Amino acid sequence: MFKKILIANRGEIACRIIKTARRMGIATVAVYSDADARAPFVVMADEAVHIGPSPAAQSYLLADKIIAACKQTGAEAVHPGYGFLSERTSFAEALAAEGIAFVGPPVNAIAAMGDKIESKKLAMKAGVNVVPGFVGEIDDTEHAVRISAEIGYPVMMKASAGGGGKGMRLAYNEADVREGFEATKREGLNSFGDDRVFIEKFILNPRHIEIQILGDQHGNILYLNERECSIQRRHQKVVEEAPSPFVTPKMRQAMGEQCVALSRAVGYYSAGTVELIVSGADPSGESFYFLEMNTRLQVEHPVTECITGIDLVEQMIRVAAGEKLSMTQDDIKIDGWAIENRVYAEDPYRGFLPSTGHLTRYRPPVEGWTDDGAENGRRGIEGIRVDDGVYDGGEVSMFYDPMIAKLVTWGPTRDDAADLQIAALDRFEIEGLGHNIDFVSAIMQHPRFRSGELTTGFIAEEYPDGFHGAAADASLIKSLSVIAGFIATAEADRARHVDGQLGGTLPPPSRWQVKIGDAVHDIAMDDGAISVDGEDFELSMEYVPGDRLVIAEVNDDELAVKITKTRTGFKLTTRGASHMARVLPGHVAHLASHMIEKIPPDLSKYLICPMPGLITAVHVSVGDKVEAGQPLAIVEAMKMENILRAEKAGVVKSVNAAAGESLAVDAIILEME
């Protein structure tokens, strides 16, 4: 077994690998860029080596710096995690040339599966179902248009070396192909150094199912059941679960055996994932097709660990050291259900725009996951596991993926795991930047999610006008109104005791009017009893002014609520939505009807930068006429291109930014008249 390994990655996955290596008695080496100098993974590792500036292209993507760090520290092996160099054949070859073990599959398997065009050809030879499409290189946009017409719309354009949802465009017609083909090529080139694109038929009502593969260097290959990853946004997974509510034992076996056959055809070993697209319109489950193979550890691997009890990182290290797998296919079971939500630094209330910055407050619902080796330790604390790589006061940088943490829950049933997600998300405190906690909580509560009727179009179909918070029924609003009244009483009680401010001690306020949305409730608190609109209400909670999170017992149900004080009351966040509570003392509440409503300014004539990013193109000049929906500029952030379009028709009055400039959020790019 290795004595020391280097982790050629960062963030939560670096922390996760270090924890398992530590349990195995293996020393670890971290490499880090300028942006990560104080990151948790750097502190956790036994040794750390600085490898360059913040941009990944100048640090984490430089194989020679990784190898130099191995030589400097005496690391015998490298675990690449996911992303960065994890699927670069040149990196694995360079390590082999230096006698350094690669904790991953053989070079030929990476090469074969890393090229989406070649992998489809291999899948066909191995007898694996493949999606109809054009398997070959595409010359230019005109060629892409002809191919798309022959396949039949809708089609998906993909960068051959793509992954992680990058370098993909869905086209419903010729105009979509013409607009998206070059952008797909650029994203492929910028993110993966390869601008080749292929086109395939887009499967209607598609479900994204993936099979976890694990093999050793002695010819043993197993499949560790499936994961359902259908809930995606812009082809980026948001929610993953294991097993899938759609897959039957017969389907699981058929999928697993085909994926093992494909892996065997390329001499695969280590952990890997074969991704399948499955037609949800076919209840037989026979319409499943090979999508791609990721020759690395997946972000969502914890859900597989939760239901199988197998530590995938440990197995990867053991396989790389030449050990045989200690289990057979018959040993692979399914115990319970696991769900993972990716907590991202993005604002769902602003079209999911990236939100970089400092975490002024970071409090996960439980302590970060520690690999203690216990039988059910991979399920975290009482079924809640948090895999993270950030810290209170740390920064989510514009240079890397915007993921803050992975929240994983395990339960005996799917509903149990989902309920635990909702409860844990309510207790997850993140301040300082936008995040998607409300959004993923809303998904967990959504009737369609609960039914298991999922497709990759779930988010677009269920939130066509964007996300505005999970719906709240009258009962929840009433409970929040009472909580707001309770908090207001505690705040006022403290205020009346401030020394030297008042001549005498006033009686504590006891009556409030709370307005949340269109609902208005009168709250009264007398001698410990609480009433709402004249009716008794059962509430048990503690609140000290300044608390940001309260746990309330409402009619025997537990409700966790995050609190932010506002000028006129409180913002109360729970159950997937933030509610603005206006709280007025009962004796002045009637005066609110005389207040003049503030009308927000009209910003529709401005094109405003929606996120911190780099302007890569401005398509118009002063005096140009534009139509609603016309592309005006492109902003690149988090390695993704974002096309900014005109909200309405008009004439460009001024242009305030040019290609190549870095802009802050809300900066004005241009003005129309």
Side-chain angles (χ1 to χ4, degrees):
M1 180 51 64
F2 307 118
K3 293 182 179 179
K4 184 185 290 187
I5 64 173
L6 181 145
I7 295 93
N9 218 297
R10 61 174 301 279
E12 64 86 16
I13 188 57
C15 293
R16 189 261 174 275
I17 295 167
I18 290 169
K19 291 170 185 176
T20 289
R22 180 179 294 164
R23 176 174 57 78
M24 297 174 69
I26 301 171
T28 55
V29 179
V31 292
Y32 64 94
S33 70
D34 290 346
D36 286 331
R38 292 185 292 174
F41 76 93
V42 176
V43 177
M44 288 176 59
D46 297 297
E47 298 175 70
V49 179
H50 177 254
I51 56 169
S54 300
Q58 300 175 43
S59 51
Y60 296 108
L61 288 173
L62 295 179
D64 58 340
K65 290 194 174 185
I66 305 295
I67 292 172
C70 288
K71 292 180 178 179
Q72 177 184 332
T73 58
E76 306 157 82
V78 171
H79 196 307
Y82 48 72
F84 294 141
L85 297 171
S86 61
E87 294 177 285
R88 294 277 182 92
T89 54
S90 57
F91 180 54
E93 288 170 339
L95 289 174
E98 297 291 342
I100 301 168
F102 179 67
V103 183
V107 171
N108 64 296
I110 300 173
M113 294 293 103
D115 186 318
K116 288 185 172 61
I117 294 173
E118 292 304 315
S119 65
K120 286 174 71 72
K121 294 178 180 177
L122 281 166
M124 293 169 68
K125 289 181 181 178
V128 179
N129 303 339
V130 297
V131 179
F134 181 81
V135 183
E137 292 192 34
I138 300 170
D139 302 327
D140 51 28
T141 300
E142 294 303 323
H143 190 195
V145 168
R146 292 197 301 274
I147 290 168
S148 300
E150 291 170 5
I151 295 172
Y153 293 102
V155 299
M156 181 70 80
M157 297 176 288
K158 297 182 181 180
S160 181
K166 298 179 178 66
M168 302 174 71
R169 288 288 193 284
L170 180 59
Y172 287 95
N173 50 48
E174 180 179 327
D176 289 346
V177 175
R178 292 188 181 280
E179 181 178 311
F181 180 72
E182 290 298 329
T184 305
K185 290 186 68 174
R186 284 194 301 272
E187 283 189 7
L189 185 62
N190 292 338
S191 295
F192 310 104
D194 186 342
D195 68 352
R196 291 178 301 156
V197 173
F198 72 99
I199 301 177
E200 64 185 13
K201 179 72 175 176
F202 183 72
I203 305 300
L204 295 174
N205 299 326
R207 298 182 78 116
H208 187 120
I209 308 291
E210 59 188 34
I211 301 293
Q212 177 67 58
I213 294 294
L214 181 63
D216 62 26
Q217 299 186 48
H218 305 276
N220 301 303
I221 304 178
L222 313 176
Y223 63 91
L224 309 186
N225 307 312
E226 80 285 349
R227 295 185 288 258
E228 171 94 47
C229 307
S230 295
I231 297 184
Q232 305 176 3
R233 193 186 64 77
R234 292 184 67 174
H235 313 296
Q236 182 81 39
K237 298 166 190 172
V238 177
V239 181
E240 300 102 348
E241 59 182 304
S244 164
F246 181 72
V247 174
T248 64
K250 181 181 177 182
M251 291 167 60
R252 182 174 298 119
Q253 182 177 353
M255 291 175 176
E257 289 177 352
Q258 281 200 19
C259 294
V260 167
L262 175 61
S263 303
R264 198 174 299 283
V266 293
Y268 200 90
Y269 57 77
S270 191
T273 296
V274 180
E275 302 198 353
L276 306 170
I277 198 79
V278 183
S279 174
D282 182 3
S284 73
E286 295 178 359
S287 300
F288 64 87
Y289 307 96
F290 171 75
L291 196 60
E292 63 180 331
M293 184 173 189
N294 292 313
T295 56
R296 54 169 168 79
L297 194 66
Q298 291 281 90
V299 176
E300 58 272 20
H301 74 274
V303 294
T304 295
E305 295 184 329
C306 286
I307 67 166
T308 63
I310 295 170
D311 185 326
L312 286 168
V313 170
E314 177 184 348
Q315 293 303 317
M316 291 181 75
I317 294 172
R318 293 191 180 282
V319 167
E323 294 186 13
K324 287 185 178 181
L325 294 179
S326 60
M327 75 285 291
T328 66
Q329 191 64 57
D330 291 339
D331 296 323
I332 309 304
K333 308 298 182 184
I334 297 178
D335 181 12
W337 214 286
I339 299 175
E340 173 180 296
N341 276 303
R342 300 189 187 189
V343 179
Y344 280 125
E346 62 183 15
D347 191 344
Y349 295 101
R350 298 186 65 187
F352 299 93
L353 296 172
S355 180
T356 58
H358 284 91
L359 290 161
T360 57
R361 186 174 182 83
Y362 178 74
R363 298 283 190 278
V366 297
E367 291 296 321
W369 178 74
T370 57
D371 188 356
D372 59 5
E375 183 178 354
N376 291 326
R378 279 169 278 286
R379 295 173 181 169
I381 301 171
E382 297 182 352
I384 302 174
R385 170 175 166 177
V386 176
D387 283 24
D388 60 16
V390 299
Y391 62 98
D392 199 18
E395 183 181 10
V396 176
S397 169
M398 64 178 286
F399 296 104
Y400 314 116
D401 187 270
M403 189 164 65
I404 298 172
K406 300 184 308 197
L407 177 65
V408 185
T409 55
W410 177 90
T413 68
R414 186 170 185 266
D415 280 342
D416 290 334
D419 289 342
L420 202 52
Q421 278 282 342
I422 297 166
L425 288 163
D426 280 346
R427 290 164 172 75
F428 212 134
E429 299 180 73
I430 298 176
E431 297 176 13
L433 41 71
H435 56 77
N436 67 338
I437 285 178
D438 283 358
F439 180 62
V440 291
S441 177
I443 292 175
M444 295 295 98
Q445 301 170 62
H446 200 288
R448 181 174 162 189
F449 174 80
R450 290 301 184 124
S451 73
E453 297 297 320
L454 312 178
T455 71
T456 56
F458 177 92
I459 291 176
E461 293 160 8
E462 298 303 325
Y463 303 98
D465 301 318
F467 178 70
H468 307 290
D473 59 22
S475 175
L476 178 59
I477 295 299
K478 180 183 288 188
S479 298
L480 291 176
S481 297
V482 178
I483 290 171
F486 188 102
I487 294 170
T489 300
E491 293 278 355
D493 191 48
R494 181 182 67 170
R496 76 190 182 95
H497 284 101
V498 175
D499 183 46
Q501 300 297 307
L502 300 170
T505 302
L506 297 175
S510 60
R511 298 182 183 278
W512 305 91
Q513 185 189 83
V514 180
K515 183 177 187 296
I516 299 177
D518 295 327
V520 179
H521 293 290
D522 293 316
I523 313 298
M525 300 188 182
D526 297 304
D527 298 324
I530 302 174
S531 66
V532 183
D533 302 326
E535 297 182 1
D536 291 342
F537 194 93
E538 291 186 19
L539 173 71
S540 175
M541 62 175 278
E542 292 183 2
Y543 174 78
V544 175
D547 284 351
R548 289 183 168 100
L549 175 70
V550 297
I551 310 297
E553 291 285 340
V554 182
N555 297 324
D556 297 324
D557 290 329
E558 190 173 274
L559 186 65
V561 183
K562 284 167 279 197
I563 305 160
T564 303
K565 197 169 183 178
T566 66
R567 187 174 59 84
T568 57
F570 310 97
K571 181 173 79 170
L572 306 176
T573 303
T574 189
R575 294 296 190 266
S578 295
H579 303 274
M580 304 304 297
R582 188 195 69 186
V583 185
L584 299 174
H587 67 283
V588 299
H590 66 282
L591 299 175
S593 61
H594 300 291
M595 297 297 291
I596 299 173
E597 183 179 356
K598 185 176 180 180
I599 301 174
D602 179 17
L603 299 177
S604 62
K605 66 178 181 178
Y606 298 106
L607 180 67
I608 296 173
C609 189
M611 72 205 83
L614 177 72
I615 294 284
T616 59
V618 176
H619 298 308
V620 293
S621 303
V622 174
D624 287 355
K625 293 182 179 180
V626 300
E627 299 296 329
Q630 179 179 333
L632 301 180
I634 298 177
V635 176
E636 183 181 297
M638 299 288 186
K639 306 178 190 175
M640 298 288 284
E641 287 189 354
N642 300 273
I643 301 174
L644 308 184
R645 302 175 185 275
E647 288 188 24
K648 61 183 182 181
V651 177
V652 178
K653 179 181 179 181
S654 64
V655 178
N656 304 322
E661 292 184 21
S662 293
L663 297 184
V665 63
D666 293 335
I668 295 175
I669 299 172
L670 58 84
E671 180 182 357
M672 293 197 299
E673 56 185 3

